[in-house]
Amino acid sequence: TDVNGSTVDDNKLTSQYAFTLDLNTSFTGSDNLYVGLEQGNAPTTDDGLRLDSASTSANFDVTSLFYSWPIGDFQVTAGPLVDADDVISATTSLYSESFRLASMPWGVDDDVTGVGAAAAWANDNGFNASFATVSTEGNTAAQGIFTTEGADHYVASLGYDSDSNWGIGLIYTSDDNESAATGEDTSFGAGVYFTPDGFPTISVVYDSIDYGNSATKDASNWLIGLDHEVGPGTASIAYQSNDDGTNTLSNYEVYYDYPVNDGVSVKGGFFTEEKASGTEDTTGYLVETTFSF
């Protein structure tokens, strides 16, 4: 890393690991019981090098637990550990998002986890819709589910995926966590993707958030991402613009994902993060090896 020019984080080599286990069980052939477990040694505060795969779980924790089953044209999901992004039918981006940058930081927020229920619908013409609710304090009687004291998160999506080479998605979220410093907030995002023959896959995504607390400034985020097959692997590049109401800052990343074989892949690349005026930008170089079995 080369962080902020002269801090103690400059020019140091670090190593992190993450271990995840995904368990899927079907009882009828059309349903699924999912259990996700993970452990890792990434610091709880992002040190500037956190990859998408990073885990901060010191113990081997159950991080996801839910059951999905069909009811007519709907796929229903419910469980005690549901992420807010587990059931979003709309596709807003085809960018791989497996390095550092991700689109829709508020609309697609996997940090919101709790007691949840959701339903998703899709038809043969390409239209789809979903609605999900997650109560992050739904496991305690003092807060509960759908109460004034509790924190309930709602996600609605609407999308269209064409038979040709494009699609569009809309996501609206509402968080009624009145006990948080930011109070209630709502976000709206939209994304469109293209898959032209012989060219990179192109994704353009916008996301915004409106905080109920007047002391917290509204924010917005743009991401443009491209993926393209190069040789045996995939090259990816993305540009992200963050506006926090005070500063508009840019992030970039470039990486290449090389499949060594069916179970091993190596990903390498670099990123830059623009800092506010008076602070030098952050540049980092990372290599990640993934073993799947």
Side-chain angles (χ1 to χ4, degrees), residues 67-135:
Y67 181 62
S68 300
W69 70 99
I71 299 180
D73 294 333
F74 291 86
Q75 188 74 16
V76 179
T77 299
L81 283 176
V82 178
D83 290 341
D85 68 337
D86 279 333
V87 182
I88 294 178
S89 65
T91 301
T92 57
S93 171
L94 292 183
Y95 183 60
S96 50
E97 299 187 6
S98 61
F99 200 58
R100 284 180 47 82
L101 298 183
S103 60
M104 286 203 172
W106 306 290
V108 182
D109 189 355
D110 59 0
D111 288 334
V112 177
T113 303
V115 181
W121 166 86
N123 69 9
D124 295 335
N125 295 325
F127 290 98
N128 59 78
S130 67
F131 178 79
T133 175
V134 175
S135 300

Side-chain angles (χ1 to χ4, degrees), residues 64-247:
S64 292
L65 178 58
F66 56 81
Y67 181 62
S68 300
W69 70 99
I71 299 180
D73 294 333
F74 291 86
Q75 188 74 16
V76 179
T77 299
L81 283 176
V82 178
D83 290 341
D85 68 337
D86 279 333
V87 182
I88 294 178
S89 65
T91 301
T92 57
S93 171
L94 292 183
Y95 183 60
S96 50
E97 299 187 6
S98 61
F99 200 58
R100 284 180 47 82
L101 298 183
S103 60
M104 286 203 172
W106 306 290
V108 182
D109 189 355
D110 59 0
D111 288 334
V112 177
T113 303
V115 181
W121 166 86
N123 69 9
D124 295 335
N125 295 325
F127 290 98
N128 59 78
S130 67
F131 178 79
T133 175
V134 175
S135 300
T136 59
E137 298 170 326
N139 61 324
T140 60
Q143 283 78 35
I145 304 170
F146 308 139
T147 64
T148 302
E149 296 81 8
D152 303 304
H153 188 86
Y154 306 94
V155 185
S157 77
L158 180 66
Y160 174 74
D161 302 301
S162 73
D163 291 332
S164 53
N165 62 355
W166 68 277
I168 188 171
L170 308 173
I171 298 179
Y172 174 82
T173 70
S174 176
D175 193 335
D176 70 354
N177 188 7
E178 296 182 7
S179 63
T182 55
E184 297 184 36
D185 62 68
T186 58
S187 72
F188 174 77
V192 60
Y193 65 85
F194 306 90
T195 57
D197 293 337
F199 291 90
T201 296
I202 305 168
S203 300
V204 181
V205 190
Y206 170 78
D207 200 13
S208 63
I209 189 166
D210 181 1
Y211 292 105
N213 184 342
S214 60
T216 304
K217 295 182 179 180
D218 300 340
S220 61
N221 180 286
W222 279 97
L223 183 136
I224 301 174
L226 293 84
D227 292 310
H228 191 55
E229 293 186 3
V230 178
T234 302
S236 303
I237 182 171
Y239 163 78
Q240 184 183 63
S241 176
N242 293 303
D243 182 355
D244 63 4
T246 301
N247 298 295

Side-chain angles (χ1 to χ4, degrees), residues 46-66:
D46 189 0
D47 59 356
L49 290 175
R50 183 176 295 174
L51 288 169
D52 176 68
S53 60
S55 173
T56 60
S57 299
N59 302 309
F60 197 41
D61 297 326
V62 177
T63 56
S64 292
L65 178 58
F66 56 81

Side-chain angles (χ1 to χ4, degrees), residues 261-283:
N261 52 48
D262 290 340
V264 181
S265 66
V266 177
K267 189 181 303 170
F270 68 91
F271 69 91
T272 64
E273 291 184 356
E274 184 182 9
K275 300 298 182 180
S277 177
T279 305
E280 292 189 28
D281 297 346
T282 295
T283 301

Side-chain angles (χ1 to χ4, degrees), residues 25-32 67-68 70:
T25 303
S26 180
F27 304 97
T28 66
S30 59
D31 63 344
N32 184 61
Y67 181 62
S68 300

